[in-house]
Amino acid sequence: MASFVDRVVLHVSGGTGGHGCVSVHREKFKPLGGPDGGNGGNGGDVILRVDPQTTTLLDYHHAPHRHATNGGPGMGDWRGGKNGETLILPVPVGTVVKSKSGDVIADLVAEGDEYIAAAGGIGGLGNASLSSQKRRAPGFALLGIEGESSDVVLELKSIADIALVGFPSAGKSSLIAAMSAARPKIADYPFTTLIPNLGVVQAGEVRFTIADVPGLIEGASEGKGLGHHFLRHVERCAALVHVLDCGTLESDRDPLSDLAIIEAELEKYAVDMSYSGSDGEVVPLNHRPRLVALNKVDLPDGKDMAEFVRPELESRGYKVFEISATSHEGLRQLGFAMAEIVKAARDAIAATPPKVHAPVLRPRAVNETGFTIRREEKNLEPLFRVLGDKPVRWVKQTDFTNEEAIGYLADRLAKLGVENELFKQGAKPGDMVVIGEDDGVVFDWEPTMMAGAELLASPRGTDVRFADIGDRPTRGQKRDEQQERRDAKAAARAELEAERKAGIWTESVSGRRARQPLKESGLGEADDE
């Protein structure tokens, strides 16, 4: 089972805001005391915060889905809902937050640094907050909005001053154990080190940290071995120390060839853009200060090999130290050389004035409406898609089972200018209007839905404008009714023509009128008999 994880994909979501409450204040002698529905509580945020006691991302490897608590619904008597609790996720020092596409979002390098990975949704307003002089008793409330959901990649990059690099079994773990209080696993087989190790070294007045990573081998840039995968842990280091094995038992290896292979692999490694030096620019690993430690000089063959390759390394410009992690030979000189490089790097950072980015002020344009309308086509019919933060948020807050709430949404959209813009773009009654992206709400646009619901007298929770729209016959119904009237008139004409041809109309109209009173009195029937 994995005990060290330095990269995870975290799925986070903020809490959903609570719904607003619809309530009317009631008390003795005051049955209708006005709206008193409270607002819903906001959903909780998901925050990544640096915790020095956290050293791995293992917890998020086993449980990658994290959700903050939801806000409580509003209640009557002006009582607001409870806000959702903020979910704080501790991360190690040096955690880099990236998007799934690889873009760096945040770099958490100091204790207390935090980043809001998913914001909670806002709570809905109750009817008490929606009341005004014209809308005194709203029969609706706004719904709470869902919190943000996002997938972020967490990568751990250890904060160390000096990095130890070298082949497997070169003695890096033994060196870090000899120079610090760290106790990494040490064995006589390759790839003993499976996770990066950190140790604190004190050299005079300078205290610094050193890190070793699993050994590099030839082809590490192509995925062989383990070291190339863990090189992200040395990206923040000020200098590198090549630990070369002078007592290797392999006949095809020597310190010079090992150094050439390691340098080639470092050349192929691309430093992440999240790291920047004192000048704010990315520094490749093989361009940073480097020291060479010839290890295992306590062995007879190791001492001879060190003396043999040292002149060649010094001629290349390397500062070389002959050391032994077992007998501690040369470790003091190596520690002070490391401290000198670390102190110079820290002084350079302190002397560099911080870059102050001038704030960019972008005033809102005069004709800025806060939304856009994009004309599309679906099934050979026009479709108008309304995009913008406000319209989309307003739709999410609307209870579509309440006519008054829908009327309030229509008022807000009309006030924002959506209806006028639809007219300008050639929208016609009955055209499809979508607010939002693919999962947006679809409407059949009715331009007669004018604003001003607060001026219409209707019971709470209803809107007379929708009743009018429901009773109004459609264009097809009007055509059907007109055709029915035409058919009825044609049938009546045919019946009259048939009666005329049958001779029913031979008696004059004046005679028929004279006989009508007699039939009503009953005398006409006797005369006929």
Side-chain angles (χ1 to χ4, degrees), residues 69-70 108 129 188 292 307 352 392 454:
T69 56
N70 301 329
L108 310 178
S129 299
D188 58 353
V292 173
E307 294 178 353
T352 303
V392 172
E454 65 274 5

Side-chain angles (χ1 to χ4, degrees), residues 282-362:
V282 176
V283 180
L285 293 181
N286 57 343
H287 291 174
R288 301 178 191 180
R290 286 162 293 174
L291 303 177
V292 173
L294 300 176
N295 195 19
K296 301 182 182 179
V297 296
D298 55 314
L299 302 176
D301 294 340
K303 184 67 174 178
D304 295 340
M305 178 64 72
E307 294 178 353
F308 178 75
V309 300
R310 179 167 186 164
E312 176 64 22
L313 295 174
E314 290 179 344
S315 64
R316 298 181 184 181
Y318 291 104
K319 200 170 184 179
V320 183
F321 297 87
E322 298 180 9
I323 65 170
S324 171
T326 302
S327 63
H328 293 196
E329 179 183 348
L331 297 187
R332 179 177 175 84
Q333 293 81 355
L334 178 61
F336 277 98
M338 294 179 182
E340 183 180 355
I341 296 176
V342 171
K343 187 176 185 304
R346 293 175 180 175
D347 293 342
I349 295 176
T352 303
K355 291 186 177 181
V356 179
H357 298 280
V360 179
L361 302 179
R362 295 183 176 89

Side-chain angles (χ1 to χ4, degrees), residues 35 127-138 454:
N127 63 341
S129 299
L130 296 174
S131 62
S132 61
Q133 292 184 352
K134 296 181 180 180
R135 183 185 278 108
R136 294 183 179 276
E454 65 274 5

Side-chain angles (χ1 to χ4, degrees), residues 17-30:
H19 299 332
C21 176
V22 180
S23 176
V24 176
H25 183 67
R26 303 177 187 275
E27 60 181 71
K28 189 175 182 180
F29 306 119
K30 193 180 292 185

Side-chain angles (χ1 to χ4, degrees), residues 440-471:
V441 181
V442 182
F443 299 92
D444 289 333
W445 186 49
E446 178 55 57
T448 58
M449 173 62 70
M450 301 301 294
E454 65 274 5
L455 304 178
L456 303 175
S458 59
R460 285 191 300 273
T462 61
D463 194 307
V464 295
R465 296 177 293 178
F466 289 92
D468 293 341
I469 293 175
D471 296 340

Side-chain angles (χ1 to χ4, degrees), residues 182-203:
R183 292 296 177 264
K185 181 179 179 180
I186 300 173
D188 58 353
Y189 54 86
F191 296 110
T192 305
T193 302
L194 299 178
I195 63 174
N197 296 305
L198 288 177
V200 180
V201 179
Q202 183 76 34

